[in-house]
Amino acid sequence: MRKMKIAMFGQKRIPSREGGVEIVVEELCTRMVEHGHEVTCYNRRGHHVSGSEYDAKILNEYKGIKLKTVPTIEKKGLAAVSSSFFAAICCALGKYDVVHIHAEGPAFFAWIPKMFGKKVVVTIHGLDWQREKWKSGFGAKFIHQGEKNAVKYADEIIVLSRGVQDYFLKTYGRKTKVIPNGVSSHVKRNAKIISDKYGLNKDDYILFLGRLVPEKGIRYLIEAFKKVETDKKLVIAGGNSDTCEFEKKMKELAKGDKRIIFTGFVQGEELEELYSNAYVYTLPSDLEGMPLSLLEAMSYGNCCLVSDIPECKDVVEDEALIFRKSDINDFYIKLQAACSHPEKVIEMKKMSEDFICRKYNWNDVVEETMEQYRR
């Protein structure tokens, strides 16, 4: 197989766990390098989305991936636009066989490398204009146009779900390729860091892990959990991603229930311990692209409780507990049942890891992605 020169942009930066896009880009790139391809990632400059205390040192290389940091206007709403513009210019002028753009916003600039004769692939990680913070204003218009530019200029479009594939076909008459995210098996860790920091032990907490944004259904989770009769705690782990006001509201809503713990952004061993020792992992989202946190939770052998949106149901099939989206009462009933019937939770834990690791494999994802490049 011919070795290729590949450029990627649209992620904030790698190595980083600032969001699902960053995880996907890192997983793809490290494996492509292992296969002998030359990969360059264009990272944005600036602070970590959850605060400067999580900033990492700027690197020129990581696991064989070439890293280049582009100029970035560090103002809300302009960081992604400015960094994507400069990354697109660099990709257009560089010697690359393929330019791979991630997400709808950065795809606005797909025309720049295309104008310079580059082959362009765009991965749509979700319909970003549906998210609360992009429903109006300049950001909404920019993302909508990014979607249209992907349709117009990309040689291939990759989507993560059948629902988004149907959307592009019905809206634009554009065929796309479904390539879902992958997951790896993980070594489980004993509760040490989380025991010292939060008083958490094996199987004594329900875990939510993700960005603290409205579409993740955190409000439903808090309101439902407050009604549950249990000694188990609720751990809400994640940063606010430019939505400090929403995080404050959620903490206010949780006030008075000492069982609810907000950890803030977590990474490394602390993150691994949270996944490894949860009683139940829950994802009550109204909106998802393809939820990597759900794949990861199942790969740690967790029983999962998720909303019935297609993006979650397609992942878990019959191997998880499901409640009606946005229905706090149904959510409460399912949470109470899980706390009251540990035998059901134990049964689902036994099957989740093997099921998810067989169904979603990063090596398969990379091979299918490379096939799109070769096309």
Side-chain angles (χ1 to χ4, degrees):
M1 182 176 66
R2 183 172 72 88
K3 303 308 177 187
M4 304 183 79
K5 291 185 176 181
I6 303 154
M8 294 203 190
F9 74 89
Q11 75 283 351
K12 294 179 184 72
R13 66 207 114 235
I14 65 164
S16 166
R17 286 190 62 98
E18 293 182 63
V21 174
E22 288 71 41
I23 297 169
V24 171
V25 170
E26 182 176 331
E27 295 285 356
L28 288 176
C29 291
T30 51
R31 286 168 173 79
M32 288 175 181
V33 168
E34 288 171 2
H35 292 163
H37 303 289
E38 185 179 305
V39 184
T40 302
C41 283
Y42 287 90
N43 289 341
R44 74 167 71 165
R45 193 174 295 279
H47 294 303
H48 191 286
V49 70
S50 292
S52 58
E53 65 269 30
Y54 297 106
D55 287 353
K57 187 170 68 173
I58 294 177
L59 303 174
N60 295 320
E61 186 176 308
Y62 173 72
K63 293 185 177 179
I65 307 162
K66 294 181 180 180
L67 302 178
K68 296 186 185 249
T69 302
V70 297
T72 306
I73 300 171
E74 291 187 61
K75 288 189 176 179
K76 189 174 180 181
L78 291 178
V81 175
S82 58
S83 61
S84 296
F85 169 73
F86 287 114
I89 294 289
C90 293
C91 291
L93 298 176
K95 294 181 179 179
Y96 301 115
D97 298 305
V98 173
V99 176
H100 191 157
I101 305 171
H102 292 267
E104 290 182 318
F108 180 93
F109 298 107
W111 60 273
I112 297 178
K114 189 68 179 173
M115 187 172 67
F116 281 77
K118 301 296 191 292
K119 298 297 182 185
V120 176
V121 174
V122 172
T123 293
I124 304 295
H125 290 259
L127 301 177
D128 290 337
W129 49 265
Q130 293 180 339
R131 301 186 187 280
E132 190 69 30
K133 70 175 183 176
W134 300 125
K135 284 192 173 179
S136 61
F138 168 76
K141 292 177 183 176
F142 180 75
I143 286 172
H144 269 292
Q145 191 58 49
E147 183 177 287
K148 293 173 183 175
N149 284 3
V151 170
K152 186 174 182 179
Y153 297 107
D155 294 280
E156 300 289 343
I157 297 177
I158 296 169
V159 297
L160 306 184
S161 68
R162 300 288 177 196
V164 177
Q165 185 180 50
D166 291 343
Y167 167 79
F168 272 86
L169 192 59
K170 290 174 183 175
T171 306
Y172 302 106
R174 177 68 192 256
K175 291 183 179 179
T176 58
K177 172 69 175 177
V178 177
I179 305 179
N181 291 326
V183 72
S184 304
S185 58
H186 294 92
V187 176
K188 298 174 185 64
R189 293 186 176 272
N190 294 327
K192 294 178 181 176
I193 298 170
I194 62 173
S195 183
D196 292 339
K197 284 182 76 171
Y198 313 112
L200 298 173
N201 297 300
K202 178 72 174 171
D203 288 338
D204 73 351
Y205 62 94
I206 292 157
L207 175 65
F208 165 86
L209 196 149
R211 288 174 299 117
L212 304 190
V213 292
E215 58 266 20
K216 291 289 185 181
I218 301 164
R219 179 181 296 278
Y220 316 138
L221 172 58
I222 293 171
E223 292 190 7
F225 179 79
K226 285 169 76 173
K227 297 195 289 183
V228 175
E229 295 181 12
T230 181
D231 293 331
K232 297 192 186 298
K233 301 176 181 73
L234 170 62
V235 176
I236 298 175
N240 62 50
S241 185
D242 296 330
T243 52
C244 297
E245 197 57 40
F246 178 74
E247 182 180 6
K248 288 176 187 173
K249 287 179 181 177
M250 293 304 97
K251 287 181 176 179
E252 188 64 30
L253 182 63
K255 193 178 287 185
D257 193 328
K258 294 181 180 178
R259 300 173 300 170
I260 303 176
I261 299 168
F262 289 82
T263 68
F265 178 78
V266 292
Q267 60 185 347
E269 291 184 18
E270 184 176 337
L271 171 71
E272 293 167 2
E273 286 187 18
L274 283 172
Y275 273 137
S276 297
N277 296 284
Y279 178 68
V280 166
Y281 174 84
T282 185
L283 188 65
S285 300
D286 285 334
L287 176 69
E288 286 287 345
M290 185 184 183
L292 267 172
S293 63
L294 177 56
L295 271 64
E296 288 187 334
M298 293 188 80
S299 76
Y300 277 91
N302 277 297
C303 169
C304 294
L305 170 58
V306 302
S307 59
D308 64 355
I309 61 174
E311 292 79 6
C312 288
K313 286 178 66 179
D314 288 351
V315 168
V316 302
E317 297 183 20
D318 297 324
E319 303 298 330
L321 307 172
I322 297 172
F323 75 96
R324 288 190 298 273
K325 181 189 86 165
S326 310
D327 188 328
I328 294 169
N329 190 56
D330 191 46
F331 195 7
Y332 151 69
I333 290 169
K334 299 293 169 57
L335 274 172
Q336 185 66 69
C339 291
S340 301
H341 298 283
E343 69 282 358
K344 177 66 173 176
V345 171
I346 292 168
E347 182 185 335
M348 302 205 85
K349 279 177 177 281
K350 288 177 182 176
M351 296 180 285
S352 63
E353 182 179 353
D354 285 345
F355 164 78
I356 208 70
C357 290
R358 280 199 313 269
K359 186 176 179 183
Y360 299 105
N361 184 290
W362 277 121
N363 292 326
D364 294 339
V365 174
V366 170
E367 182 51 46
E368 289 188 64
T369 303
M370 293 303 305
E371 183 59 35
Q372 299 307 299
Y373 293 177
R374 289 190 285 269
R375 282 165 63 91

